[in-house]
Amino acid sequence: MEELSKYKMGEFWNKLLSAVAMAIVVAVTPGAIISPFITGLAKHSAFWETILNASNLSMYIVPVAAGVLAAGEFGFNRIEKASVALASLVGSGAVAFDKGSWVLVGMGDLINTILVIAVAIVAVFLTRNFVGSFSIIIEPILCGTIVGSLGLWSYTYVHMISTGVGSVLNAITKLQPVLMCTLIAMAFAVIIATPLSTVGLAYAIGISGIAGGAASVGVTSCFMIVAIATFKANGKGVSLAMFWGGVKMMLANFVEHPRMFIPIAIVGAVTGFIDSFLNIQNGSAEAGFGQPVGPIDSFQYMSGNTGTNIIILLLIYYILPILISLVVYLVIRKFPKLYNSNDWKVDIDK
């Protein structure tokens, strides 16, 4: 109990959510990047079909990877890590019993997975000093069977809530695309610059379609404005890292200087507003990604001329966010209370 009490509530959840976010990114990336390029080839070649299957199968590891990584954040040993992973897999809903067989049905419900992992970690903390050498027997049963069963029970209700939130957002976005795309893009532009995971959030609530496209465009807009704003203070290397999504490197800067969120929010909102007229779409597994994953996935939802579609994607994911970011940067730097170049300086030695 003393070991658990040394973690403050915020620190506990931050460690857990960071681990889950990393598991999602690692598991989703192969399918998100590789699949769109070889799906057509896989229909005519056993070789490419194997590559496609391997890429898509990666996503099923999310509950197990999340459990292992989360347990690792708390310094658990191998038995404890494996036990937490058991609970995560059982309670995630990623595996369903259907007509006498166990069937993989996806990543499961992310919110339920997070709750199950949290319970499993607490359970290990509460019992580890009492089980001794019997840990190899007791902890797998405690986590895999007892905590896992709790997860199976809660899955139905948690999944109903999480999918309901996503359905409402997706439905409202279809009815009010201009307003919602603007708000969603702005929100995701800001969220990617915080410790929260846009990938985990998008998947957890099932945001997809036009709403998913707005989220991905919003994340990309953050990359662009941060890349431009950091260029003068840090040089080409750091700026290029931001362009390709390294904005989490600047978490300390964002916390210390909240005014940095102002240009990020503005660029996200304007880009999202323009996006609402282009009908860019994304799936829930890719909605939290910016470029290059975002445009790759968006291309799959587009019909019509291929060349035109590529131009549209280049516009909304690259050209317009860069131009909007340049304008916002040039304007906001004229207001010292809103902009200071030192805010954007990254200490890469930390």
Side-chain angles (χ1 to χ4, degrees), residues 316-336:
I316 196 60
Y317 275 102
Y318 295 96
I319 298 172
L320 289 175
I322 290 174
L323 291 176
I324 295 167
S325 296
L326 281 169
V327 172
V328 171
Y329 170 73
L330 292 173
V331 172
I332 204 166
R333 64 184 297 189
K334 298 182 182 296
F335 300 89

Side-chain angles (χ1 to χ4, degrees), residues 2 4 80 102 120 146 150-151 160 164 193 287 305 315 323 332 346:
E2 291 182 1
L4 177 61
E80 293 166 341
W102 289 101
I146 299 176
L150 290 174
M160 186 185 304
N305 183 270
L315 278 171
L323 291 176
I332 204 166
V346 182

Side-chain angles (χ1 to χ4, degrees), residues 13-66:
W13 286 106
N14 185 52
K15 284 179 174 290
L16 176 54
L17 294 175
S18 296
V20 174
M22 181 57 67
I24 295 170
V25 172
V26 170
V28 169
T29 297
I33 295 180
I34 301 298
S35 295
F37 292 108
I38 63 174
T39 299
L41 296 173
K43 296 177 181 179
H44 308 286
S45 168
F47 171 80
W48 289 111
E49 183 180 15
T50 301
I51 300 298
L52 178 65
N53 290 337
S55 299
N56 290 333
L57 277 171
S58 300
M59 66 182 291
Y60 293 105
I61 200 177
V62 167
V64 175

Side-chain angles (χ1 to χ4, degrees), residues 185-223:
M186 180 175 66
F188 272 75
V190 171
I191 291 171
I192 189 64
T194 71
L196 297 175
S197 168
T198 53
V199 177
L201 176 62
Y203 184 78
I205 62 177
I207 191 172
S208 61
I210 301 173
S216 185
V217 166
V219 171
T220 299
S221 70
C222 178
F223 297 168

